[in-house]
Amino acid sequence: MQPASKLLTLTLLIFMGTELTQVLPANPEESWQVYSSAQDSEGRCVCTVVAPQQSMCSRDARTKQLRQLLEKVQNMTQSIQVLDQRTQRDLQYVEKMEVQLRGLETKFRQVEENHKQNIAKQYKAIKAKMEELRPLIPVLEEYKADAKLVLQFKEEVQNLTSVLSELQEEMGAYDYEELHNRVSNLEERLRACMQKLACGKLTGISDPITIKTSGSRFGSWMTDPLAPEGDTRVWYMDGYHNNRFVREYKSMHDFMNSDNFTSHRLPHPWSGTGQVVYNGSIYFNKFQSHVIIKFDFRTSSISKSRQLDYAGFNNAYHYAWGGHSDIDLMVDEGGLWAIYATNQNAGNIVISKLNPNTLQIIKSWTTNHPKRSAGESFMICGTLYVTNGYSGGTKVYYAYSTNSSTYEYIDIAFQNKYSHISMLDYNPRDRALYAWNNGHQVLYNVTLFHVIRSEEL
């Protein structure tokens, strides 16, 4: 691990209604890394970029300010490059669709000119296909406009980078305030371009980024998706039972590079690794019970507790790896969820949406997936995703949508780098998966695809 004095990392995270959040890579000396991305409601890419360290002189304040500006512009440059690549990729795809549309229009006109009885069926089929593809026309136009906008951003960032590079050699040649305003303006425009996030379907999971190696084989770690601006604390819980001490690190940087933490003692030991920190409180399953407890860190007291009726506990319906993982609490864009199994549902997974204040069940869904055969699971945009195992080769292969009350079998590769997953949770603010993998704390980037329907156009 590099000393703290040598670590300089910038991360650009864009979220709906949120500000920038700092999350650091395992090795800051490495090249640029993209570890979180999504597509917005209009099909455009939104990314998270982790920048490498820049070695510069920082003895005076003016040099430091310029260095920070250069890093910010370089950060935006990488983000724009990723946005440009994916925009161009999507543009090529939609342009192919445009060619098909034009071909269909030609056939459609030919059919309209000839109403002979023997081509009536062909006429109807082509007309139906035409109606299905017609909504893609305005989408194509938007992609073309986005591509032009990205090119404009690239030119502006290149100009700013050139100016800043010259300033490193000739200090004082440019007014700092004007330069700062230009950078800020471009940053706001880029954020506005990438800000329209919407829920989507999971289409990919990146290779893992190892943040730290610590603790036992089992445990959990997380950040608060509803933390206020500037709050980047990390929460760390080692083990799956007979422990009640939660570590609080001030930032991801501290978590990666030091052992400085504050310890919180819970009133009861927890069970499993399904804890979650949400809006300043930790929610956990009390050991050897089906009681859910909400513990407020600000008051160091229990603010609410409630039994999760009929939920199996004490290794009755655990994940395949065991570890008293009967009740798994998690959050996504929609709020707080509990994943468990009951005798009434024959040991199959039950999904319950919980009120975070009262812990009452708002609504439940029963699935046909046995809880004990699931490796781990996580919620994204109201859909439960389940892995087929916890060791060796792993993939996400089952998805249950609470929005439509339907399920499907999928095949999304998931790299199990250290061969034993005992915790896997999605953070809707970071748009990343947090995992505890055999004593390693790991992050995964997720790619979401928003399906554009004709009624949304």
Side-chain angles (χ1 to χ4, degrees), residues 341-353:
T342 64
N343 289 331
Q344 290 81 354
N345 197 38
N348 292 329
I349 291 176
V350 176
I351 306 170
S352 289
K353 181 76 176 293

Side-chain angles (χ1 to χ4, degrees), residues 129-379:
K129 187 64 177 178
M130 190 68 196
E131 292 301 321
E132 290 180 8
L133 294 176
R134 193 176 301 276
L136 287 175
I137 295 177
V139 176
L140 173 65
E141 298 304 321
E142 291 185 10
Y143 272 126
K144 290 180 178 179
D146 288 344
K148 293 179 180 178
L149 182 60
V150 171
L151 288 175
Q152 183 181 352
F153 282 159
K154 288 176 64 177
E155 293 175 358
E156 293 190 32
V157 171
Q158 289 172 355
N159 292 337
L160 282 172
T161 302
S162 176
V163 170
L164 286 169
S165 299
E166 292 175 2
L167 281 174
Q168 287 180 317
E169 300 176 359
E170 301 178 13
M171 296 298 296
Y174 204 98
D175 181 71
Y176 175 80
E177 291 299 325
E178 181 181 349
L179 186 62
H180 180 271
N181 290 337
R182 289 180 62 186
V183 173
S184 298
N185 177 264
L186 180 59
E187 183 179 31
E188 287 301 316
R189 291 171 60 194
L190 178 61
R191 290 185 61 201
C193 175
M194 301 170 69
Q195 193 174 19
K196 294 181 180 179
L197 291 180
C199 272
K201 183 177 180 180
L202 180 67
T203 58
I205 300 174
S206 75
D207 291 342
I209 300 172
T210 303
I211 300 299
K212 190 173 184 177
T213 301
S214 64
S216 64
R217 193 176 187 183
F218 316 99
S220 62
W221 72 293
M222 66 216 76
T223 58
D224 187 345
L226 290 186
E229 177 185 357
D231 184 348
T232 60
R233 288 178 292 175
V234 175
W235 308 91
Y236 176 96
M237 305 171 73
D238 191 10
Y240 63 83
H241 74 297
N242 200 28
N243 192 354
R244 62 176 70 185
F245 290 95
V246 181
R247 293 183 184 181
E248 172 195 331
Y249 293 83
K250 290 184 178 180
S251 66
M252 188 70 73
H253 181 276
D254 279 2
F255 178 64
M256 292 176 61
N257 296 282
S258 76
D259 288 326
N260 298 325
F261 59 85
T262 300
S263 185
H264 299 269
R265 186 179 187 274
L266 299 177
H268 305 284
W270 65 75
S271 183
T273 59
Q275 307 86 8
V276 62
V277 175
Y278 189 58
N279 198 23
S281 296
I282 184 168
Y283 298 78
F284 67 96
N285 175 208
K286 179 181 176 182
F287 185 54
Q288 293 184 331
S289 76
H290 55 182
V291 174
I292 304 301
I293 293 178
K294 176 185 179 182
F295 180 84
D296 192 331
F297 285 120
R298 288 161 289 205
T299 62
S300 296
S301 63
I302 295 176
S303 56
K304 197 68 182 178
S305 65
R306 185 179 296 275
Q307 288 189 356
L308 191 59
D309 292 340
Y310 308 111
F313 63 94
N314 201 24
N315 271 333
Y317 295 118
H318 53 72
Y319 285 128
W321 64 272
H324 294 265
S325 56
D326 304 75
I327 298 175
D328 193 0
L329 301 173
M330 53 189 72
V331 296
D332 70 350
E333 291 81 356
L336 179 65
W337 302 84
I339 307 303
Y340 55 100
T342 64
N343 289 331
Q344 290 81 354
N345 197 38
N348 292 329
I349 291 176
V350 176
I351 306 170
S352 289
K353 181 76 176 293
L354 303 182
N355 182 312
N357 298 317
T358 66
L359 299 182
Q360 289 181 318
I361 294 177
I362 299 173
K363 186 176 179 180
S364 292
W365 293 260
T366 56
T367 77
N368 63 349
H369 193 292
K371 178 76 160 44
R372 287 186 172 184
S373 66
E376 266 289 345
S377 67
F378 53 91
M379 293 288 295

